Amino acid sequence: TFLSAGMLATAMLLGACGKQETATSTAPAASGPAATASAPAKVYVVGTDAAYAPFESQNEKGEIVGFDIDVVSAIAAKAGVQVKFVNTPWEGIFNALQQGDRDVLVSAITITDERKQTMDFTAPYFDAVQLIAVKQGSKVAKFDDLKPLKVGVQTGTTGDEVVTKLLGKNSAAIKRFESTPLALKELESGGVDAVVADNGVVIHYVANNAGAGFKTVSDPSFTPEQYGIAVRKGNTAVLEMINQGLAGIRADGTYDRIYAKYFGSAPAAANAAP
Ligand code: ARG
């Protein structure tokens, strides 16, 4: 049986009192490095809102798959640690990290100054920008054209932020959804006139749902965004482990292979290793 380092320490302490012979005799050789080796390996719990293909989604078998999953799995392999991905709704995801229910978050999370107040981010691992989805016949040609329209966003995303800025915090024209696919479904059924979300996800959806009859509209006014992997504020040990792993998979070509698997070509200059 395995004893944790803490249990062994307790067992040895009791043994030293001379009253717990059995405790000391069950693990006589286990001290120092041996104790560390026999302790069960930590499994890092990674939260992700798995409704965001191609970054994270659930396949037919219910497994969580995607670009982010491959990147973090490769980083974990480099670092020699185990990870477990847990589907975590976006609306509670930052809280789950803070409460200690998750050790790490990977969820196409844009690094923002506001979020940096409450969590720490790794070096950026992906470049993104907002993109507008509309029906093919739509006259929308730029972001400003959304002003008189109903717009769908995923609650609490950077897409929500930009649309809130354009239309006003209490605008009834903003429809907020729990996931980006739900917002896009609403566009399909005509409940909203446009959806604003991360380019990678919008492009993937439009390409895989030809029947929805969408097109995309880009706007140069959108600020460039970068995704980072998040850890609890001050958790420098895990942050450094992930940053080193990320640098490692960028250096050995693993990142580029994962990128090509999902996006079909070598990373754009913006996503190349710094
Ligand atoms: N990049 C955007 C943000 O950080 C959207 C991320 C949503 N991710 C997800 N897995 N639903 O706000």
Side-chain angles (χ1 to χ4, degrees):
T1 60
F2 289 155
L3 294 173
S4 73
M7 286 164 72
L8 285 169
T10 308
M12 279 151 38
L13 206 75
L14 291 169
C17 302
K19 288 181 181 163
Q20 288 287 326
E21 259 77 29
T22 46
T24 41
S25 62
T26 50
S31 67
T36 312
S38 64
K42 169 152 178 71
V43 178
Y44 291 88
V45 180
V46 184
T48 186
D49 173 26
Y52 216 63
F55 296 97
E56 44 266 338
S57 60
Q58 276 183 285
N59 67 15
E60 320 75 48
K61 290 187 229 153
E63 299 157 340
I64 301 175
V65 296
F67 176 82
D68 283 354
I69 309 312
D70 287 2
V71 166
V72 169
S73 298
I75 290 171
K78 270 260 173 251
V81 300
Q82 275 178 270
V83 288
K84 176 182 159 199
F85 296 93
V86 179
N87 196 4
T88 309
W90 179 256
E91 276 172 81
I93 206 165
F94 298 131
N95 225 11
L97 178 70
Q98 215 152 12
Q99 303 292 304
D101 295 337
R102 308 285 182 269
D103 299 306
V104 175
L105 302 179
V106 69
S107 202
I109 303 170
T110 301
I111 302 168
T112 69
D113 287 339
E114 198 191 336
R115 290 173 183 167
K116 276 200 251 175
Q117 316 267 300
T118 53
M119 65 198 97
D120 286 341
F121 285 100
T122 61
Y125 70 92
F126 197 85
D127 287 292
V129 70
Q130 294 304 304
L131 187 62
I132 305 162
V134 290
K135 287 271 183 72
Q136 263 154 27
S138 168
K139 290 200 173 64
V140 169
K142 55 182 186 308
F143 188 44
D144 218 51
D145 294 343
L146 300 186
K147 268 186 176 152
L149 302 179
K150 270 198 209 154
V151 186
V153 295
Q154 182 178 8
T155 310
T157 58
T158 45
D160 186 354
E161 283 173 27
V162 295
V163 172
T164 298
K165 225 166 157 189
L166 183 79
L167 300 182
K169 194 165 172 51
N170 299 313
S171 168
I174 306 174
K175 282 203 170 188
R176 296 187 173 88
F177 298 85
E178 182 178 303
S179 77
T180 295
L182 281 176
L184 290 160
K185 280 271 165 240
E186 189 75 359
L187 176 60
E188 196 173 341
S189 62
V192 294
D193 306 301
V195 167
V196 179
D198 294 5
N199 57 338
V201 172
V202 171
I203 289 166
H204 183 267
Y205 191 93
V206 171
N208 289 281
N209 295 273
F214 292 167
K215 65 173 180 183
T216 62
V217 177
S218 58
D219 189 303
S221 75
F222 290 131
T223 323
E225 300 182 21
Q226 294 185 304
Y227 296 164
I229 299 165
V231 302
R232 261 183 300 290
K233 203 153 191 49
N235 193 355
T236 43
V238 173
L239 192 69
E240 270 162 32
M241 177 178 77
I242 300 174
N243 271 331
Q244 271 179 30
L246 180 58
I249 66 164
R250 280 193 185 274
D252 74 3
T254 305
Y255 178 93
D256 287 359
R257 267 196 303 281
I258 297 170
Y259 190 99
K261 172 177 164 190
Y262 289 92
F263 303 104
S265 59
N271 276 310

